[in-house]
Amino acid sequence: MNRLHVDWTACDGRGLCAELLPELLVEDDWGYPVPRGDMSVPPALEPAARQAVDRCPALALRLTRVVTGPAPV
Ligand code: SF4
């Protein structure tokens, strides 16, 4: 599973990502995205998440792979 990551130093708060991913993000009063949860991207939202990453005008969004499973010993 992937997780959405916002680079807060780059985000300029235009709110496009919250429009594209309302299931994961809401827009605050200044247009900055506020996560609804831990930003894990369910498979059904992968296309929308990739579109949000591609369309972010500040290149502030990326998807990171979340590795799940037993901890290494
Ligand atoms: S689309 Fe990019 S710049 Fe715009 S609010 Fe989202 S993360 Fe910030």
Side-chain angles (χ1 to χ4, degrees):
M1 181 177 286
N2 285 324
R3 185 169 289 160
L4 197 62
H5 174 82
V6 179
D7 178 352
W8 298 108
T9 64
C11 173
D12 62 4
R14 297 188 189 178
L16 177 63
C17 54
E19 289 180 27
L20 293 172
L21 284 170
E23 299 88 347
L24 299 183
L25 300 164
V26 293
E27 191 177 333
D28 71 11
D29 291 342
W30 297 273
Y32 288 92
V34 178
R36 288 185 184 272
D38 71 356
M39 304 272 270
S40 294
V41 180
L45 291 179
E46 279 280 337
R50 292 193 183 284
Q51 184 183 38
V53 168
D54 290 344
R55 295 182 61 185
C56 173
L59 305 178
L61 283 178
R62 64 186 164 93
L63 287 170
T64 56
R65 189 94 183 134
V66 177
V67 178
T68 58
V73 285

Short mmCIF file of all heavy atoms in Angstrom, two decimals:
data_model
loop_
_atom_site.label_atom_id
_atom_site.label_comp_id
_atom_site.label_asym_id
_atom_site.label_seq_id
_atom_site.Cartn_x
_atom_site.Cartn_y
_atom_site.Cartn_z
N MET A 1 0.85 -1.19 0.00
CA MET A 1 0.00 0.00 0.00
C MET A 1 0.88 1.24 0.00
O MET A 1 1.97 1.23 0.55
CB MET A 1 -0.91 -0.02 1.24
CG MET A 1 -1.85 1.17 1.31
SD MET A 1 -2.99 1.11 2.71
CE MET A 1 -4.12 -0.15 2.18
N ASN A 2 0.38 2.29 -0.62
CA ASN A 2 1.10 3.55 -0.66
C ASN A 2 0.50 4.53 0.35
O ASN A 2 -0.65 4.40 0.76
CB ASN A 2 1.04 4.17 -2.04
CG ASN A 2 1.95 3.49 -3.02
OD1 ASN A 2 3.04 3.04 -2.67
ND2 ASN A 2 1.51 3.38 -4.26
N ARG A 3 1.31 5.47 0.72
CA ARG A 3 0.85 6.53 1.62
C ARG A 3 1.18 7.87 0.96
O ARG A 3 2.25 8.04 0.38
CB ARG A 3 1.56 6.41 2.97
CG ARG A 3 1.05 7.41 4.00
CD ARG A 3 1.57 7.08 5.38
NE ARG A 3 0.92 5.87 5.88
CZ ARG A 3 1.40 5.11 6.86
NH1 ARG A 3 2.54 5.43 7.43
NH2 ARG A 3 0.76 4.05 7.25
N LEU A 4 0.25 8.80 1.06
CA LEU A 4 0.45 10.13 0.50
C LEU A 4 1.29 10.96 1.47
O LEU A 4 1.07 10.92 2.68
CB LEU A 4 -0.91 10.76 0.26
CG LEU A 4 -0.99 11.95 -0.67
CD1 LEU A 4 -0.56 11.56 -2.10
CD2 LEU A 4 -2.41 12.51 -0.70
N HIS A 5 2.22 11.69 0.92
CA HIS A 5 3.08 12.53 1.75
C HIS A 5 3.03 13.96 1.20
O HIS A 5 3.16 14.17 -0.01
CB HIS A 5 4.51 12.01 1.71
CG HIS A 5 5.48 12.90 2.41
ND1 HIS A 5 5.65 12.89 3.78
CD2 HIS A 5 6.30 13.85 1.94
CE1 HIS A 5 6.55 13.79 4.11
NE2 HIS A 5 6.97 14.39 3.02
N VAL A 6 2.83 14.92 2.08
CA VAL A 6 2.83 16.33 1.69
C VAL A 6 4.13 16.97 2.19
O VAL A 6 4.45 16.89 3.37
CB VAL A 6 1.64 17.09 2.29
CG1 VAL A 6 1.68 18.57 1.90
CG2 VAL A 6 0.31 16.48 1.86
N ASP A 7 4.85 17.59 1.29
CA ASP A 7 6.02 18.38 1.66
C ASP A 7 5.51 19.78 2.04
O ASP A 7 5.23 20.60 1.18
CB ASP A 7 7.00 18.44 0.48
CG ASP A 7 8.22 19.31 0.79
OD1 ASP A 7 8.24 19.98 1.85
OD2 ASP A 7 9.14 19.31 -0.04
N TRP A 8 5.39 20.00 3.33
CA TRP A 8 4.79 21.26 3.80
C TRP A 8 5.65 22.47 3.48
O TRP A 8 5.16 23.60 3.45
CB TRP A 8 4.52 21.19 5.30
CG TRP A 8 3.55 20.10 5.62
CD1 TRP A 8 3.83 18.91 6.24
CD2 TRP A 8 2.15 20.06 5.30
NE1 TRP A 8 2.68 18.14 6.32
CE2 TRP A 8 1.66 18.82 5.76
CE3 TRP A 8 1.28 20.95 4.67
CZ2 TRP A 8 0.31 18.45 5.61
CZ3 TRP A 8 -0.05 20.58 4.52
CH2 TRP A 8 -0.52 19.35 4.99
N THR A 9 6.93 22.27 3.23
CA THR A 9 7.78 23.41 2.88
C THR A 9 7.55 23.84 1.44
O THR A 9 7.88 24.96 1.06
CB THR A 9 9.27 23.07 3.07
OG1 THR A 9 9.65 22.03 2.16
CG2 THR A 9 9.56 22.63 4.50
N ALA A 10 6.97 22.95 0.63
CA ALA A 10 6.74 23.26 -0.79
C ALA A 10 5.28 23.61 -1.08
O ALA A 10 5.00 24.38 -2.01
CB ALA A 10 7.17 22.09 -1.67
N CYS A 11 4.36 23.06 -0.31
CA CYS A 11 2.92 23.27 -0.57
C CYS A 11 2.59 24.76 -0.49
O CYS A 11 2.98 25.44 0.45
CB CYS A 11 2.11 22.50 0.46
SG CYS A 11 0.33 22.82 0.38
N ASP A 12 1.87 25.23 -1.51
CA ASP A 12 1.46 26.64 -1.48
C ASP A 12 -0.03 26.81 -1.26
O ASP A 12 -0.59 27.90 -1.44
CB ASP A 12 1.94 27.38 -2.73
CG ASP A 12 1.35 26.83 -4.01
OD1 ASP A 12 0.50 25.92 -3.93
OD2 ASP A 12 1.72 27.31 -5.08
N GLY A 13 -0.69 25.72 -0.88
CA GLY A 13 -2.05 25.80 -0.38
C GLY A 13 -3.10 26.19 -1.39
O GLY A 13 -3.99 26.97 -1.09
N ARG A 14 -3.04 25.62 -2.56
CA ARG A 14 -4.09 25.93 -3.54
C ARG A 14 -5.25 24.95 -3.45
O ARG A 14 -6.27 25.15 -4.11
CB ARG A 14 -3.51 25.94 -4.95
CG ARG A 14 -2.48 27.04 -5.08
CD ARG A 14 -2.02 27.22 -6.48
NE ARG A 14 -0.88 28.14 -6.52
CZ ARG A 14 -0.25 28.45 -7.61
NH1 ARG A 14 -0.62 27.93 -8.75
NH2 ARG A 14 0.76 29.28 -7.56
N GLY A 15 -5.07 23.89 -2.71
CA GLY A 15 -6.19 23.01 -2.41
C GLY A 15 -6.58 22.03 -3.50
O GLY A 15 -7.58 21.33 -3.35
N LEU A 16 -5.83 21.97 -4.58
CA LEU A 16 -6.19 21.05 -5.66
C LEU A 16 -6.25 19.61 -5.17
O LEU A 16 -7.15 18.85 -5.53
CB LEU A 16 -5.20 21.19 -6.81
CG LEU A 16 -5.41 20.24 -7.99
CD1 LEU A 16 -6.76 20.53 -8.64
CD2 LEU A 16 -4.28 20.38 -9.00
N CYS A 17 -5.30 19.22 -4.35
CA CYS A 17 -5.25 17.83 -3.89
C CYS A 17 -6.49 17.47 -3.08
O CYS A 17 -7.01 16.36 -3.19
CB CYS A 17 -3.99 17.57 -3.09
SG CYS A 17 -3.73 18.70 -1.72
N ALA A 18 -6.98 18.39 -2.27
CA ALA A 18 -8.18 18.11 -1.48
C ALA A 18 -9.40 17.96 -2.39
O ALA A 18 -10.31 17.21 -2.09
CB ALA A 18 -8.40 19.21 -0.46
N GLU A 19 -9.39 18.67 -3.51
CA GLU A 19 -10.50 18.51 -4.47
C GLU A 19 -10.43 17.15 -5.15
O GLU A 19 -11.46 16.53 -5.39
CB GLU A 19 -10.44 19.60 -5.53
CG GLU A 19 -10.80 20.97 -5.01
CD GLU A 19 -10.72 22.03 -6.11
OE1 GLU A 19 -10.88 21.67 -7.30
OE2 GLU A 19 -10.48 23.20 -5.77
N LEU A 20 -9.21 16.70 -5.44
CA LEU A 20 -9.05 15.42 -6.14
C LEU A 20 -9.17 14.22 -5.21
O LEU A 20 -9.52 13.12 -5.65
CB LEU A 20 -7.69 15.38 -6.85
CG LEU A 20 -7.53 16.36 -8.01
CD1 LEU A 20 -6.08 16.36 -8.50
CD2 LEU A 20 -8.47 16.01 -9.14
N LEU A 21 -8.86 14.42 -3.93
CA LEU A 21 -8.86 13.31 -2.97
C LEU A 21 -9.65 13.67 -1.71
O LEU A 21 -9.09 13.67 -0.60
CB LEU A 21 -7.42 12.96 -2.58
CG LEU A 21 -6.61 12.17 -3.58
CD1 LEU A 21 -5.15 12.10 -3.17
CD2 LEU A 21 -7.17 10.77 -3.74
N PRO A 22 -10.92 13.94 -1.86
CA PRO A 22 -11.70 14.33 -0.68
C PRO A 22 -11.79 13.22 0.36
O PRO A 22 -12.06 13.49 1.53
CB PRO A 22 -13.07 14.69 -1.26
CG PRO A 22 -13.16 13.93 -2.53
CD PRO A 22 -11.75 13.89 -3.07
N GLU A 23 -11.55 11.98 -0.06
CA GLU A 23 -11.59 10.86 0.90
C GLU A 23 -10.39 10.90 1.85
O GLU A 23 -10.46 10.38 2.96
CB GLU A 23 -11.57 9.51 0.16
CG GLU A 23 -12.75 9.30 -0.77
CD GLU A 23 -12.50 9.85 -2.18
OE1 GLU A 23 -11.52 10.60 -2.38
OE2 GLU A 23 -13.31 9.53 -3.07
N LEU A 24 -9.29 11.52 1.41
CA LEU A 24 -8.06 11.53 2.22
C LEU A 24 -7.73 12.91 2.78
O LEU A 24 -7.00 13.00 3.78
CB LEU A 24 -6.86 11.05 1.38
CG LEU A 24 -6.93 9.64 0.81
CD1 LEU A 24 -5.63 9.32 0.07
CD2 LEU A 24 -7.18 8.63 1.91
N LEU A 25 -8.21 13.96 2.12
CA LEU A 25 -7.81 15.31 2.51
C LEU A 25 -9.01 16.24 2.56
O LEU A 25 -9.92 16.13 1.73
CB LEU A 25 -6.81 15.87 1.48
CG LEU A 25 -5.50 15.12 1.28
CD1 LEU A 25 -4.83 15.58 -0.01
CD2 LEU A 25 -4.58 15.33 2.47
N VAL A 26 -8.98 17.16 3.50
CA VAL A 26 -9.92 18.27 3.48
C VAL A 26 -9.09 19.55 3.40
O VAL A 26 -7.90 19.55 3.74
CB VAL A 26 -10.83 18.30 4.73
CG1 VAL A 26 -11.77 17.11 4.74
CG2 VAL A 26 -10.03 18.37 6.00
N GLU A 27 -9.74 20.59 2.95
CA GLU A 27 -9.04 21.86 2.76
C GLU A 27 -9.33 22.76 3.97
O GLU A 27 -10.47 22.90 4.39
CB GLU A 27 -9.58 22.50 1.49
CG GLU A 27 -8.82 23.69 0.99
CD GLU A 27 -9.41 24.20 -0.32
OE1 GLU A 27 -10.02 23.41 -1.07
OE2 GLU A 27 -9.26 25.40 -0.58
N ASP A 28 -8.28 23.35 4.53
CA ASP A 28 -8.54 24.26 5.65
C ASP A 28 -8.94 25.65 5.11
O ASP A 28 -9.07 25.84 3.89
CB ASP A 28 -7.34 24.33 6.61
CG ASP A 28 -6.13 25.06 6.04
OD1 ASP A 28 -6.24 25.71 4.97
OD2 ASP A 28 -5.05 24.98 6.66
N ASP A 29 -9.14 26.60 6.01
CA ASP A 29 -9.65 27.91 5.60
C ASP A 29 -8.69 28.66 4.68
O ASP A 29 -9.08 29.62 4.01
CB ASP A 29 -9.92 28.78 6.83
CG ASP A 29 -11.11 28.25 7.63
OD1 ASP A 29 -11.90 27.46 7.09
OD2 ASP A 29 -11.23 28.62 8.81
N TRP A 30 -7.42 28.26 4.65
CA TRP A 30 -6.42 28.93 3.82
C TRP A 30 -6.07 28.12 2.58
O TRP A 30 -5.15 28.48 1.85
CB TRP A 30 -5.17 29.20 4.64
CG TRP A 30 -5.45 30.14 5.79
CD1 TRP A 30 -5.44 31.50 5.77
CD2 TRP A 30 -5.85 29.77 7.11
NE1 TRP A 30 -5.80 31.99 7.01
CE2 TRP A 30 -6.05 30.96 7.85
CE3 TRP A 30 -6.05 28.54 7.74
CZ2 TRP A 30 -6.46 30.94 9.18
CZ3 TRP A 30 -6.45 28.54 9.07
CH2 TRP A 30 -6.64 29.73 9.77
N GLY A 31 -6.75 27.01 2.36
CA GLY A 31 -6.52 26.20 1.18
C GLY A 31 -5.50 25.10 1.35
O GLY A 31 -5.23 24.35 0.41
N TYR A 32 -4.97 24.97 2.56
CA TYR A 32 -3.97 23.91 2.78
C TYR A 32 -4.68 22.59 3.09
O TYR A 32 -5.72 22.56 3.74
CB TYR A 32 -3.03 24.29 3.93
CG TYR A 32 -2.06 25.37 3.55
CD1 TYR A 32 -2.37 26.71 3.77
CD2 TYR A 32 -0.85 25.06 2.93
CE1 TYR A 32 -1.49 27.72 3.39
CE2 TYR A 32 0.03 26.05 2.56
CZ TYR A 32 -0.30 27.38 2.79
OH TYR A 32 0.57 28.37 2.39
N PRO A 33 -4.09 21.50 2.63
CA PRO A 33 -4.73 20.20 2.86
C PRO A 33 -4.52 19.71 4.30
O PRO A 33 -3.44 19.86 4.86
CB PRO A 33 -4.00 19.28 1.87
CG PRO A 33 -2.66 19.91 1.67
CD PRO A 33 -2.87 21.39 1.83
N VAL A 34 -5.58 19.15 4.83
CA VAL A 34 -5.53 18.57 6.17
C VAL A 34 -5.85 17.08 6.03
O VAL A 34 -6.90 16.73 5.49
CB VAL A 34 -6.56 19.23 7.10
CG1 VAL A 34 -6.54 18.58 8.48
CG2 VAL A 34 -6.31 20.73 7.19
N PRO A 35 -4.95 16.22 6.48
CA PRO A 35 -5.21 14.78 6.36
C PRO A 35 -6.42 14.36 7.18
O PRO A 35 -6.63 14.82 8.29
CB PRO A 35 -3.93 14.14 6.92
CG PRO A 35 -2.89 15.20 6.87
CD PRO A 35 -3.62 16.50 7.04
N ARG A 36 -7.22 13.45 6.61
CA ARG A 36 -8.34 12.87 7.34
C ARG A 36 -7.89 11.69 8.20
O ARG A 36 -8.58 11.34 9.15
CB ARG A 36 -9.40 12.37 6.37
CG ARG A 36 -10.18 13.44 5.67
CD ARG A 36 -11.28 12.78 4.84
NE ARG A 36 -12.04 13.73 4.06
CZ ARG A 36 -13.12 14.36 4.51
NH1 ARG A 36 -13.52 14.17 5.74
NH2 ARG A 36 -13.76 15.20 3.74
N GLY A 37 -6.78 11.09 7.84
CA GLY A 37 -6.31 9.91 8.58
C GLY A 37 -4.80 9.85 8.47
O GLY A 37 -4.12 10.88 8.48
N ASP A 38 -4.28 8.64 8.32
CA ASP A 38 -2.83 8.50 8.23
C ASP A 38 -2.32 8.59 6.80
O ASP A 38 -1.14 8.36 6.55
CB ASP A 38 -2.37 7.20 8.89
CG ASP A 38 -2.77 5.96 8.08
OD1 ASP A 38 -3.47 6.09 7.05
OD2 ASP A 38 -2.38 4.86 8.49
N MET A 39 -3.20 8.94 5.87
CA MET A 39 -2.86 9.17 4.47
C MET A 39 -2.54 7.89 3.71
O MET A 39 -1.98 7.94 2.62
CB MET A 39 -1.70 10.17 4.34
CG MET A 39 -1.98 11.49 5.02
SD MET A 39 -2.80 12.62 3.95
CE MET A 39 -1.40 13.42 3.20
N SER A 40 -2.88 6.75 4.29
CA SER A 40 -2.75 5.51 3.52
C SER A 40 -3.74 5.55 2.37
O SER A 40 -4.88 5.99 2.53
CB SER A 40 -3.07 4.29 4.41
OG SER A 40 -2.10 4.16 5.42
N VAL A 41 -3.28 5.11 1.22
CA VAL A 41 -4.09 5.17 0.00
C VAL A 41 -4.64 3.78 -0.32
O VAL A 41 -3.88 2.89 -0.71
CB VAL A 41 -3.26 5.69 -1.19
CG1 VAL A 41 -4.11 5.76 -2.44
CG2 VAL A 41 -2.64 7.04 -0.88
N PRO A 42 -5.93 3.57 -0.15
CA PRO A 42 -6.49 2.28 -0.53
C PRO A 42 -6.38 2.07 -2.03
O PRO A 42 -6.33 3.05 -2.79
CB PRO A 42 -7.96 2.37 -0.09
CG PRO A 42 -8.20 3.74 0.39
CD PRO A 42 -6.91 4.51 0.36
N PRO A 43 -6.32 0.82 -2.46
CA PRO A 43 -6.15 0.54 -3.90
C PRO A 43 -7.15 1.29 -4.79
O PRO A 43 -6.79 1.76 -5.87
CB PRO A 43 -6.33 -0.98 -4.00
CG PRO A 43 -5.92 -1.49 -2.66
CD PRO A 43 -6.34 -0.44 -1.67
N ALA A 44 -8.37 1.42 -4.34
CA ALA A 44 -9.38 2.09 -5.17
C ALA A 44 -9.07 3.56 -5.41
O ALA A 44 -9.54 4.16 -6.37
CB ALA A 44 -10.76 1.94 -4.53
N LEU A 45 -8.27 4.15 -4.52
CA LEU A 45 -7.93 5.58 -4.66
C LEU A 45 -6.56 5.82 -5.29
O LEU A 45 -6.14 6.97 -5.44
CB LEU A 45 -7.98 6.26 -3.29
CG LEU A 45 -9.38 6.40 -2.67
CD1 LEU A 45 -9.28 7.07 -1.30
CD2 LEU A 45 -10.31 7.19 -3.58
N GLU A 46 -5.87 4.75 -5.66
CA GLU A 46 -4.53 4.90 -6.27
C GLU A 46 -4.56 5.80 -7.50
O GLU A 46 -3.72 6.71 -7.61
CB GLU A 46 -3.94 3.54 -6.64
CG GLU A 46 -3.31 2.81 -5.49
CD GLU A 46 -1.91 3.30 -5.18
OE1 GLU A 46 -1.25 3.88 -6.06
OE2 GLU A 46 -1.49 3.12 -4.04
N PRO A 47 -5.49 5.59 -8.44
CA PRO A 47 -5.49 6.46 -9.64
C PRO A 47 -5.67 7.93 -9.27
O PRO A 47 -4.97 8.80 -9.82
CB PRO A 47 -6.66 5.93 -10.47
CG PRO A 47 -6.83 4.51 -10.03
CD PRO A 47 -6.50 4.51 -8.56
N ALA A 48 -6.59 8.23 -8.37
CA ALA A 48 -6.80 9.62 -7.98
C ALA A 48 -5.58 10.17 -7.24
O ALA A 48 -5.21 11.34 -7.42
CB ALA A 48 -8.05 9.73 -7.09
N ALA A 49 -4.95 9.35 -6.44
CA ALA A 49 -3.76 9.80 -5.72
C ALA A 49 -2.62 10.11 -6.69
O ALA A 49 -1.92 11.12 -6.55
CB ALA A 49 -3.33 8.75 -4.69
N ARG A 50 -2.46 9.25 -7.68
CA ARG A 50 -1.39 9.49 -8.68
C ARG A 50 -1.70 10.75 -9.49
O ARG A 50 -0.79 11.53 -9.82
CB ARG A 50 -1.23 8.28 -9.60
CG ARG A 50 -0.68 7.08 -8.87
CD ARG A 50 -0.21 5.97 -9.77
NE ARG A 50 0.24 4.84 -8.97
CZ ARG A 50 1.41 4.81 -8.33
NH1 ARG A 50 2.24 5.81 -8.43
NH2 ARG A 50 1.74 3.76 -7.60
N GLN A 51 -2.96 10.97 -9.78
CA GLN A 51 -3.34 12.18 -10.51
C GLN A 51 -3.04 13.42 -9.65
O GLN A 51 -2.54 14.43 -10.15
CB GLN A 51 -4.83 12.13 -10.86
CG GLN A 51 -5.27 13.30 -11.70
CD GLN A 51 -6.77 13.27 -12.00
OE1 GLN A 51 -7.56 12.90 -11.15
NE2 GLN A 51 -7.13 13.66 -13.19
N ALA A 52 -3.33 13.34 -8.36
CA ALA A 52 -3.05 14.47 -7.47
C ALA A 52 -1.56 14.76 -7.41
O ALA A 52 -1.13 15.92 -7.46
CB ALA A 52 -3.61 14.19 -6.07
N VAL A 53 -0.75 13.71 -7.34
CA VAL A 53 0.70 13.89 -7.32
C VAL A 53 1.16 14.55 -8.62
O VAL A 53 1.95 15.51 -8.61
CB VAL A 53 1.41 12.53 -7.12
CG1 VAL A 53 2.91 12.65 -7.39
CG2 VAL A 53 1.16 12.00 -5.71
N ASP A 54 0.64 14.05 -9.74
CA ASP A 54 1.06 14.58 -11.04
C ASP A 54 0.62 16.03 -11.25
O ASP A 54 1.30 16.79 -11.94
CB ASP A 54 0.48 13.72 -12.17
CG ASP A 54 1.13 12.34 -12.24
OD1 ASP A 54 2.20 12.16 -11.64
OD2 ASP A 54 0.54 11.46 -12.89
N ARG A 55 -0.50 16.40 -10.65
CA ARG A 55 -1.06 17.73 -10.91
C ARG A 55 -0.71 18.77 -9.85
O ARG A 55 -1.04 19.95 -10.03
CB ARG A 55 -2.57 17.62 -11.07
CG ARG A 55 -2.94 16.80 -12.31
CD ARG A 55 -4.41 16.71 -12.52
NE ARG A 55 -5.01 18.02 -12.72
CZ ARG A 55 -6.31 18.24 -12.85
NH1 ARG A 55 -7.14 17.22 -12.79
NH2 ARG A 55 -6.77 19.45 -13.02
N CYS A 56 -0.08 18.37 -8.77
CA CYS A 56 0.28 19.35 -7.74
C CYS A 56 1.20 20.40 -8.35
O CYS A 56 2.31 20.08 -8.79
CB CYS A 56 0.97 18.66 -6.57
SG CYS A 56 1.62 19.84 -5.36
N PRO A 57 0.80 21.66 -8.38
CA PRO A 57 1.61 22.69 -9.05
C PRO A 57 2.92 22.99 -8.33
O PRO A 57 3.84 23.55 -8.93
CB PRO A 57 0.68 23.92 -9.04
CG PRO A 57 -0.28 23.68 -7.95
CD PRO A 57 -0.45 22.20 -7.85
N ALA A 58 3.01 22.62 -7.07
CA ALA A 58 4.22 22.90 -6.30
C ALA A 58 5.12 21.67 -6.15
O ALA A 58 6.13 21.72 -5.46
CB ALA A 58 3.83 23.42 -4.91
N LEU A 59 4.74 20.57 -6.81
CA LEU A 59 5.49 19.30 -6.68
C LEU A 59 5.66 18.93 -5.21
O LEU A 59 6.71 18.44 -4.79
CB LEU A 59 6.85 19.40 -7.38
CG LEU A 59 6.83 19.81 -8.85
CD1 LEU A 59 8.26 19.91 -9.40
CD2 LEU A 59 6.01 18.84 -9.69
N ALA A 60 4.61 19.15 -4.44
CA ALA A 60 4.68 18.94 -2.99
C ALA A 60 4.08 17.61 -2.56
O ALA A 60 4.11 17.29 -1.37
CB ALA A 60 3.96 20.08 -2.28
N LEU A 61 3.55 16.86 -3.49
CA LEU A 61 2.94 15.58 -3.13
C LEU A 61 3.76 14.44 -3.69
O LEU A 61 4.27 14.50 -4.81
CB LEU A 61 1.53 15.48 -3.74
CG LEU A 61 0.40 16.24 -3.08
CD1 LEU A 61 -0.89 16.01 -3.89
CD2 LEU A 61 0.20 15.82 -1.65
N ARG A 62 3.84 13.36 -2.90
CA ARG A 62 4.43 12.14 -3.44
C ARG A 62 3.80 10.95 -2.73
O ARG A 62 3.20 11.07 -1.66
CB ARG A 62 5.94 12.13 -3.30
CG ARG A 62 6.46 12.13 -1.90
CD ARG A 62 7.99 12.28 -1.92
NE ARG A 62 8.48 12.66 -0.63
CZ ARG A 62 8.90 11.78 0.29
NH1 ARG A 62 8.90 10.49 0.02
NH2 ARG A 62 9.31 12.19 1.47
N LEU A 63 3.95 9.82 -3.37
CA LEU A 63 3.47 8.57 -2.79
C LEU A 63 4.67 7.78 -2.31
O LEU A 63 5.66 7.65 -3.02
CB LEU A 63 2.71 7.75 -3.84
CG LEU A 63 1.32 8.27 -4.21
CD1 LEU A 63 0.78 7.51 -5.42
CD2 LEU A 63 0.38 8.14 -3.04
N THR A 64 4.57 7.29 -1.08
CA THR A 64 5.65 6.45 -0.55
C THR A 64 5.07 5.07 -0.27
O THR A 64 3.93 4.94 0.16
CB THR A 64 6.24 7.04 0.74
OG1 THR A 64 5.20 7.21 1.70
CG2 THR A 64 6.89 8.38 0.47
N ARG A 65 5.87 4.08 -0.53
CA ARG A 65 5.45 2.70 -0.35
C ARG A 65 5.49 2.36 1.14
O ARG A 65 6.48 2.62 1.82
CB ARG A 65 6.39 1.77 -1.12
CG ARG A 65 5.94 0.36 -1.17
CD ARG A 65 5.14 0.15 -2.45
NE ARG A 65 4.63 -1.21 -2.46
CZ ARG A 65 3.38 -1.50 -2.78
NH1 ARG A 65 2.56 -0.55 -3.13
NH2 ARG A 65 2.97 -2.73 -2.78
N VAL A 66 4.40 1.78 1.62
CA VAL A 66 4.35 1.34 3.01
C VAL A 66 4.56 -0.16 3.03
O VAL A 66 3.83 -0.90 2.38
CB VAL A 66 2.98 1.68 3.65
CG1 VAL A 66 2.91 1.16 5.07
CG2 VAL A 66 2.75 3.18 3.60
N VAL A 67 5.58 -0.58 3.73
CA VAL A 67 5.87 -2.01 3.83
C VAL A 67 5.19 -2.54 5.08
O VAL A 67 5.39 -2.02 6.18
CB VAL A 67 7.39 -2.25 3.90
CG1 VAL A 67 7.68 -3.74 4.06
CG2 VAL A 67 8.07 -1.68 2.67
N THR A 68 4.35 -3.54 4.88
CA THR A 68 3.67 -4.15 6.02
C THR A 68 4.13 -5.60 6.16
O THR A 68 4.67 -6.19 5.23
CB THR A 68 2.15 -4.12 5.83
OG1 THR A 68 1.82 -4.80 4.63
CG2 THR A 68 1.63 -2.69 5.78
N GLY A 69 3.91 -6.14 7.31
CA GLY A 69 4.31 -7.53 7.55
C GLY A 69 5.05 -7.63 8.86
O GLY A 69 5.18 -6.64 9.59
N PRO A 70 5.55 -8.80 9.17
CA PRO A 70 6.22 -8.98 10.45
C PRO A 70 7.52 -8.17 10.52
O PRO A 70 8.20 -7.98 9.51
CB PRO A 70 6.51 -10.49 10.49
CG PRO A 70 6.34 -10.98 9.10
CD PRO A 70 5.47 -10.01 8.37
N ALA A 71 7.83 -7.70 11.70
CA ALA A 71 9.06 -6.94 11.89
C ALA A 71 10.26 -7.86 11.72
O ALA A 71 10.21 -9.04 12.10
CB ALA A 71 9.08 -6.31 13.28
N PRO A 72 11.34 -7.33 11.13
CA PRO A 72 12.54 -8.16 10.98
C PRO A 72 13.12 -8.52 12.35
O PRO A 72 13.02 -7.75 13.29
CB PRO A 72 13.49 -7.27 10.19
CG PRO A 72 12.92 -5.90 10.28
CD PRO A 72 11.48 -6.00 10.62
N VAL A 73 13.72 -9.70 12.43
CA VAL A 73 14.33 -10.13 13.70
C VAL A 73 15.83 -10.00 13.66
O VAL A 73 16.44 -9.87 12.66
CB VAL A 73 13.96 -11.59 14.06
CG1 VAL A 73 12.53 -11.62 14.55
CG2 VAL A 73 14.18 -12.51 12.90
S1 SF4 B 1 -2.04 20.42 -4.71
FE1 SF4 B 1 0.05 20.60 -3.90
S2 SF4 B 1 0.36 22.80 -3.58
FE2 SF4 B 1 -1.83 22.46 -3.78
S3 SF4 B 1 -2.57 22.24 -1.68
FE3 SF4 B 1 -2.14 20.16 -2.46
S4 SF4 B 1 -0.02 19.74 -1.83
FE4 SF4 B 1 -0.35 21.95 -1.63
#
